[in-house]
Amino acid sequence: SATLTVLLRGSSTKFVEVQSRLSSDSSEEYRSLIRQTTESGQEDWALSMMGRATILAGNICFSAIGFSDGTLIVFSPSGRRLFPLMKLSGPLCYLECNNETHLLAVTEEGHLYFWEVPHQKALLSFSIRKTLLANSSSSIEGFEVTEEGKCVVRLGNGEVYVYSESLEVWVGVSSRPFKHSEFLESSTGLLSSLSSCTSPTVPPLKRLQLDSQLNSRHPPIDIDPAAQANDTSSHIQNQIHLALLLQSSQEYLHWYRLLIRRLTTDGNTSQLTEICDSLVNPQSSNQGWDPFILVI
């Protein structure tokens, strides 16, 4: 028999435990006993089902269990099934969730699934090998589900990607394309002053870019002024889009202020006018004008 146990995210006392063992009828089939318990051993609920559990994850709102035949079950805190019995493309090698809403599953063959559990909504279903690893000799380093409900994939070459639901593409968070930007290794400003990527005060974009090792190389000493100006402007604008994607209001405001200051200093009235027009009447909005961006 084999036993799997996980502490539910968002709780310090709730656990889900799965014990799989061969059936007593010698049929070579496994049966799994699933239990949610407290730290003191009190049992909240228990049930058994056929199959050998291989992986599990959970939080205070749901728990998920993957089986060797590629099936996945999602339970509520009371043991009620939130999804029908789902048959995935193969056994899972990774299963993770954030503290409340989102669940990420990756099969051994590299197929990724991503759900918003409360609404029983699929956000992603795709092959990693055919997208992020296509035409690449790199490998997968890890995955992450952010508290804002974003799916993050880290590659072995240091690149980090976040999925954009609105664009339906993967977006790279590395600043390497802007290697001449004066902000790439700046020691000033709100974000660059946060040095520890594990600190809870580090906002998400800064943390992911530290993970991608964007500061592993110093920019060259001799930099063409025109190239630096172009890279700096492009870098700032890209940071704004990334902060918006990651729903990081702190970073969004920081980079937007830098952009406005730079455009004002350069006397770029056309872009300033365009920005003001987009804030008053955003063309990308289908629900009318909203005076708030990320609660700002």
Side-chain angles (χ1 to χ4, degrees):
S1 64
T3 301
L4 304 172
T5 305
V6 64
L7 173 66
L8 299 182
R9 294 189 57 159
S11 171
S12 59
T13 60
K14 297 282 188 179
F15 297 83
V16 168
E17 177 186 280
V18 183
Q19 187 176 53
S20 300
R21 60 176 60 185
L22 285 170
S23 300
S24 56
D25 58 7
S26 301
S27 61
E28 297 299 321
E29 291 185 335
Y30 278 84
R31 192 166 192 89
S32 294
L33 173 64
I34 306 167
R35 305 166 61 237
Q36 181 173 300
T37 64
T38 64
E39 189 176 27
S40 62
Q42 178 181 349
E43 187 174 271
D44 293 334
W45 55 268
L47 56 86
S48 67
M49 59 179 296
M50 297 302 298
R52 179 170 63 89
T54 57
I55 194 168
L56 70 157
N59 55 36
I60 57 176
C61 297
F62 63 85
S63 55
I65 303 170
F67 290 79
S68 59
D69 63 351
T71 58
L72 179 70
I73 303 177
V74 182
F75 294 103
S76 74
S78 66
R80 179 174 58 91
R81 292 196 182 194
L82 295 178
F83 284 13
L85 188 66
M86 294 187 290
K87 180 70 171 179
L88 307 184
S89 61
L92 296 178
C93 64
Y94 185 86
L95 187 64
E96 188 56 272
C97 59
N98 59 10
N99 282 345
E100 292 186 0
T101 54
H102 290 73
L103 176 66
L104 171 65
V106 184
T107 68
E108 294 177 354
E109 64 183 18
H111 198 96
L112 185 150
Y113 301 87
F114 192 45
W115 299 278
E116 186 181 5
V117 174
H119 297 103
Q120 296 189 357
K121 181 181 179 181
L123 303 178
L124 260 178
S125 176
F126 81 105
S127 171
I128 299 174
R129 300 184 187 278
K130 295 181 180 179
T131 51
L132 296 180
L133 294 182
N135 302 318
S136 173
S137 60
S138 186
S139 59
I140 297 295
E141 183 74 16
F143 305 90
E144 179 184 341
V145 183
T146 72
E147 291 310 312
E148 294 76 23
K150 301 300 178 181
C151 180
V152 179
V153 177
R154 294 179 174 83
L155 301 186
N157 60 8
E159 295 291 341
V160 179
Y161 292 90
V162 181
Y163 187 76
S164 170
E165 295 172 30
S166 60
L167 299 177
E168 297 185 354
V169 296
W170 287 96
V171 178
V173 304
S174 172
S175 292
R176 291 170 186 163
F178 317 106
K179 63 180 181 179
H180 292 153
S181 171
E182 61 190 68
F183 292 105
L184 190 59
E185 300 246 347
S186 173
S187 60
T188 61
L190 172 67
L191 301 182
S192 56
S193 65
L194 302 172
S195 58
S196 173
C197 63
T198 60
S199 169
T201 61
V202 177
L205 177 55
K206 175 70 174 181
R207 178 176 58 81
L208 291 177
Q209 289 182 331
L210 286 171
D211 287 349
S212 70
Q213 300 175 350
L214 69 93
N215 291 323
S216 60
R217 294 182 179 179
H218 293 274
I221 297 176
D222 297 324
I223 303 175
D224 177 66
Q228 184 176 48
N230 287 331
D231 277 14
T232 299
S233 177
S234 298
H235 183 208
I236 294 173
Q237 293 178 52
N238 196 61
Q239 293 290 93
I240 291 173
H241 289 296
L242 290 174
L244 188 61
L245 170 61
L246 292 167
Q247 299 179 26
S248 175
S249 58
Q250 182 186 16
E251 292 172 293
Y252 181 82
L253 185 60
H254 172 75
W255 289 104
Y256 224 117
R257 283 173 172 168
L258 287 177
L259 176 63
I260 299 302
R261 289 171 187 166
R262 189 170 192 87
L263 293 177
T264 302
T265 300
D266 294 342
N268 194 331
T269 57
S270 60
Q271 287 197 20
L272 286 169
T273 301
E274 192 175 86
I275 288 173
C276 291
D277 289 343
S278 69
L279 292 174
V280 174
N281 185 25
Q283 297 180 358
S284 61
S285 175
N286 296 322
Q287 300 177 345
W289 183 73
D290 188 345
F292 294 97
I293 300 176
L294 299 179
V295 201
I296 298 176

